[in-house]
């Protein structure tokens, strides 16, 4: 069976989460004087030099609106637990 391809929205979310994590690691490494992750190459340069700074400058309300608009696991809600009909024991 061939592997299932991720949807565009899922792939976009995975890449953006990864790039935000790498940027956070770089910040923490700078704060504590440890070795940072390797410098970005290729398309990762766009993500690190354009996407991450723009993301951090956006107001939270706008970020939350965009996240809610995209499909993904963050839109799942908890179901209401079944009500018991008697004692548990």
């Amino acid at each position: 069976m061939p592997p299932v391809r991720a949807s565009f929205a899922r792939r976009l979310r995975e890449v953006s989460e990864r790039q935000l994590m790498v940027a956070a690691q770089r910040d923490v490494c700078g704060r504590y004087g440890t070795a940072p992750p390797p410098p970005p190459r290729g398309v990762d340069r766009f993500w690190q030099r354009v996407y991450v700074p723009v993301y951090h400058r956006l107001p939270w309300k706008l970020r939350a609106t965009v996240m809610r608009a995209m499909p993904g696991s963050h839109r799942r809600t908890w179901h209401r637990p079944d009500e018991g009909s008697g004692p548990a024991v």
Side-chain angles (χ1 to χ4, degrees), residues 56-78:
H56 286 295
R57 283 180 180 83
L58 290 176
W60 172 249
K61 194 169 186 176
L62 179 60
R63 281 191 249 169
T65 302
V66 170
M67 284 187 272
R68 276 194 304 273
M70 292 188 73
S73 61
H74 63 282
R75 297 183 77 188
R76 294 182 189 156
T77 58
W78 293 96

Side-chain angles (χ1 to χ4, degrees), residues 30-53:
R31 239 181 263 150
Y32 295 103
T34 60
R41 294 179 169 203
V43 79
D44 288 344
R45 278 189 240 173
F46 164 79
W47 287 93
Q48 289 297 314
R49 294 186 180 154
V50 176
Y51 172 76
V52 171

